[in-house]
Amino acid sequence: MIEKTYALWCKRATEDPDVVAELKAIANDPDGIRERFYRELEFGTAGLRGIIGAGENRMNIYTVRKATQGLANYLNTRYTAAAVAIAYDSRIKSDTFARQAASVLAAGGIKVYLCDTLQPTPVLSFAVRHYGCQAGIVVTASHNPAQYNGYKCYGPDGCQMTDADAAAVTACIRTLDIFEDVQTMAYDAAVAAGRITLVGEELLNAYLEQVERQQVTPGICAKAGLKVIYTPLNGTGNLPVREILRRIGAADVTVVPEQELPDGRFPTAPYPNPEIRQAFEKALELAAVSRPDLLLATDPDCDRVGIAVRDDNGYTLMSGNEVGCLLLDYLLARRAEEGTLPASPVVIKTIVTTPLVAAIAAKYGCELRDLLTGFKYIGEQIGLLEKAGEEDRYVLGFEESYGYLAGTYARDKDAVVASMLITEMAAYYRTKGKTLLQRMQELYEEHGYYRNRVVNVAFEGEQGMLTMGRLMDTLRQSAPTAIGGVPVTAVADYYRQVRRDSLTGEEEVLTLPQSNVLSYTLEGGAGVIIRPSGTEPKVKGYVTSVGATPEASEALAATLLSATEALMHSAD
């Protein structure tokens, strides 16, 4: 079957010279053929993501067209006149994939609002509701290396598509032949006919106006004397982040020149992920000369931001958990001082995000909503607040993987608003004689020393996917009684939707949606969570420790991290 499919592609997939060349290159490579054709790219809740190349298990114009035809069929069965917004990032072939998707939708009679240049993912989330669309598409692979690209779908609420809707689109896709059942309309003809409308400056300005409204200490940047270095990591953040910082008065902003312009090869940051130090290397080189107070780095689609803060020995990178806690504390404290904090404020986080959030929220009488991993769940809660007429209660949503959103104008994480608020917050504390590091230390002294660590175990290829499944099955069937010598007091299985007390045996039903996640509560407030990644072939382990001193918490975190990694190899 695989050889037959390969032969069909050699005959029919002739439009993209890169695909043609790759198909010819693997003619005598059975393993190469199998890897590209043993399965179709899975349309999960985040859409498609994979290596750019030839075959059904790769990102190319044919897999993009088929997914879009499935989306078009899904929309046309539900709406008499549907519209879709499309954006794309700086990755290789992103603009091509976006136009191909637009051409398929246009052929299906669906109105398309296509960004006329690359734009951040949060702009797409905003655009869906701004133009009254029934769906949205953004072509991006977020922070993956250059050989990857992806395709994320959004619902009419501006959130990433729900599990149910993604399953319905998947069902439509599976009925299609990748060559016979996909219809396209010539791109130029579709634009001329008004089926595709190019959008740009008007959309970005409307979005930036909403971002600017999220300030809590207007004018502070203009008088704080804060120096900033910013890198968009050759992605979409360059213009919108610089513009929003200009608007709030942050005048001393230097952009890393090697990473300023869009470049999907990411030549100076092969892993353009603001969670890791390597992504900051060029910014740190520049900082060694100019000595700024703050470094900002946004990922290629500008939905996540990482920071580094000057200290006595150079620069310290702060984690997503730390930045989220700082932002929450800053927003709650400043809004309480200004009298703009609602009577029943709401903060939303994911279950893998630090429990320190709970302590900060409790201090200000703030309701905490704890959700599964995935910002769509945070966006969904914003929508529920809006339907109840209570959207003003929402203060902040964030996840440990460097994604934050203040304001309800978008329904996905937003590195533009986060960059603005982080800069404003750093300027505010600078006027108080403090750095963000010093303020974080104060939070630890007040609430306890929390340490959060993540371990990733990769499972590449067909065998890797099978091993991932065996691992989760093994852990589910044989729950550990201790991790790193620390007793397990409760196990929450979000797939079975049950939490079991290890001491009493009592069980309670979990109300969050079904998900392949296992959470272990440990004695003393520590915890471990294990789950397969939703976008990459790997399993992630999240470790939390808490102690009365930083040394005690660090030691426990190291022990738990090692033990968790061993657990994650138990199916090898």
Side-chain angles (χ1 to χ4, degrees):
M1 183 64 182
I2 289 176
E3 287 290 341
K4 184 178 179 181
T5 305
Y6 166 67
L8 178 64
W9 272 66
C10 289
K11 181 180 179 180
R12 299 291 300 274
T14 58
E15 294 176 66
D16 185 334
D18 294 333
V19 169
V20 172
E22 188 172 331
L23 290 170
K24 289 180 179 178
I26 61 173
N28 298 310
D29 180 6
D31 290 339
I33 293 172
R34 180 173 184 80
E35 179 58 31
R36 288 163 176 80
F37 290 97
Y38 81 90
R39 66 164 190 166
E40 295 184 15
L41 275 183
E42 181 180 350
F43 188 91
T45 55
L48 305 173
R49 188 174 297 190
I51 295 170
I52 303 164
E56 294 180 339
N57 191 30
R58 294 289 188 267
M59 285 292 298
N60 51 66
I61 61 172
Y62 307 103
T63 53
V64 167
R65 285 175 181 171
K66 182 178 178 180
T68 309
Q69 186 68 62
L71 175 64
N73 293 352
Y74 161 83
L75 292 172
N76 281 331
T77 61
R78 285 160 174 77
Y79 304 97
T80 55
V84 177
I86 302 178
Y88 59 92
D89 69 3
S90 63
R91 287 182 174 274
I92 296 166
K93 295 186 183 289
S94 280
D95 55 346
T96 298
F97 294 160
R99 292 186 182 99
Q100 291 289 329
S103 296
V104 171
L105 292 168
I110 294 171
K111 173 69 178 178
V112 177
Y113 295 92
L114 174 64
C115 291
D116 62 4
T117 188
L118 72 173
Q119 292 289 359
T121 288
V123 172
L124 183 279
S125 175
F126 172 79
V128 169
R129 295 168 69 239
H130 183 68
Y131 292 118
C133 296
Q134 285 65 53
I137 298 168
V138 61
V139 180
T140 179
S142 187
H143 59 278
N144 285 65
Q147 65 266 34
Y148 284 83
N149 211 327
Y151 172 111
K152 292 196 293 187
C153 281
Y154 288 72
D157 57 358
C159 295
Q160 286 188 41
M161 195 167 275
T162 65
D163 295 347
D165 288 340
V169 174
T170 298
C172 291
I173 293 170
R174 286 176 177 165
T175 67
L176 302 173
D177 180 276
I178 197 166
F179 296 115
E180 296 293 338
D181 297 331
V182 177
Q183 302 298 315
T184 64
M185 183 177 183
Y187 174 78
D188 289 341
V191 172
R195 296 194 185 186
I196 298 174
T197 296
L198 298 177
V199 295
E201 187 174 352
E202 179 274 333
L203 172 64
L204 184 60
N205 283 334
Y207 160 80
L208 288 174
E209 286 174 9
Q210 293 297 322
V211 172
E212 192 174 359
R213 290 178 184 174
Q214 308 312 314
Q215 296 177 85
V216 291
T217 315
I220 192 69
C221 290
K223 59 185 180 183
L226 190 78
K227 294 181 64 176
V228 179
I229 283 180
Y230 168 59
T231 172
L233 294 175
N234 300 116
T236 60
N238 184 37
L239 295 180
V241 171
R242 292 170 74 174
E243 173 60 16
I244 200 65
L245 295 184
R246 183 195 68 78
R247 290 188 183 192
I248 67 168
D252 196 345
V253 178
T254 302
V255 179
V256 176
E258 300 94 334
Q259 298 170 341
E260 177 180 4
L261 300 179
D263 189 340
R265 300 169 302 150
F266 309 119
T268 58
Y271 297 94
N273 184 351
E275 296 183 53
I276 60 177
R277 193 173 187 87
Q278 173 261 323
F280 280 87
E281 284 181 357
K282 287 297 178 181
L284 288 167
E285 288 176 10
L286 194 58
V289 177
S290 60
R291 298 291 291 164
D293 303 283
L294 177 68
L295 276 60
L296 298 169
T298 55
D299 65 346
D301 68 324
C302 197
D303 63 351
R304 301 188 310 134
V305 59
I307 74 169
V309 178
R310 190 174 71 200
D311 60 21
D312 293 337
N313 300 313
Y315 288 85
T316 296
L317 271 65
M318 301 193 74
S319 72
N321 279 312
E322 290 178 321
V323 173
C325 287
L326 282 168
L327 282 172
L328 177 62
D329 176 75
Y330 173 72
L331 291 173
L332 291 172
R334 291 292 300 125
R335 291 187 63 180
E337 291 171 3
E338 296 293 326
T340 61
L341 190 65
S344 301
V346 172
V347 60
I348 311 171
K349 77 174 187 70
T350 59
I351 59 174
V352 298
T353 300
T354 179
L356 176 55
V357 176
I360 296 170
K363 177 180 177 181
Y364 295 94
C366 184
E367 178 189 344
L368 171 62
R369 299 186 182 182
D370 228 354
L371 310 175
L372 292 176
T373 304
F375 219 90
K376 65 182 179 180
Y377 296 115
I378 296 175
E380 182 180 45
Q381 290 295 315
I382 297 172
L384 292 174
L385 287 169
E386 185 178 59
K387 286 178 182 178
E390 299 177 348
E391 62 266 33
D392 289 345
R393 293 178 60 200
Y394 174 76
V395 175
L396 182 70
F398 79 97
E399 54 189 7
E400 53 77 38
S401 55
Y402 294 59
Y404 320 92
L405 176 65
T408 61
Y409 59 91
R411 300 297 159 84
D412 208 348
K413 50 191 176 287
D414 184 356
V416 181
V417 76
S419 295
M420 180 191 79
L421 288 173
I422 290 166
T423 301
E424 177 192 310
M425 176 172 63
Y428 174 80
Y429 286 123
R430 193 176 196 276
T431 65
K432 305 296 183 183
K434 299 177 187 176
T435 68
L436 296 181
L437 288 170
Q438 290 167 332
R439 178 58 191 149
M440 192 70 232
Q441 179 64 22
E442 291 175 348
L443 291 179
Y444 284 139
E445 290 172 357
E446 181 178 1
H447 300 292
Y449 289 89
Y450 287 78
R451 295 294 182 264
N452 303 93
R453 302 288 183 265
V454 180
V455 58
N456 297 294
V457 177
F459 295 89
E460 298 288 350
E462 182 180 9
Q463 287 303 311
M465 298 297 289
L466 296 173
T467 304
M468 285 170 64
R470 285 200 309 273
L471 168 64
M472 297 305 292
D473 288 343
T474 298
L475 293 175
R476 194 161 270 119
Q477 293 163 11
S478 303
T481 58
I483 299 176
V486 183
V488 175
T489 59
V491 179
D493 185 338
Y494 289 89
Y495 185 77
R496 294 177 175 167
Q497 295 182 300
V498 171
R499 184 180 188 274
R500 185 177 187 274
D501 188 295
S502 302
L503 300 177
T504 66
E506 293 181 359
E507 293 186 346
E508 64 175 292
V509 176
L510 299 173
T511 58
L512 294 180
Q514 190 177 54
S515 184
N516 193 12
V517 178
L518 291 167
S519 176
Y520 306 95
T521 302
L522 307 182
E523 206 171 69
V528 171
I529 296 177
I530 296 176
R531 72 172 185 92
S533 169
T535 56
E536 299 171 89
K538 65 185 180 182
V539 174
K540 306 184 79 171
Y542 302 83
V543 167
T544 295
S545 67
V546 61
T549 66
E551 293 78 14
S553 192
E554 288 283 359
L556 179 57
T559 298
L560 293 177
L561 195 67
S562 178
T564 300
E565 185 170 11
L567 269 180
M568 294 162 65
H569 282 289
S570 60
D572 288 355

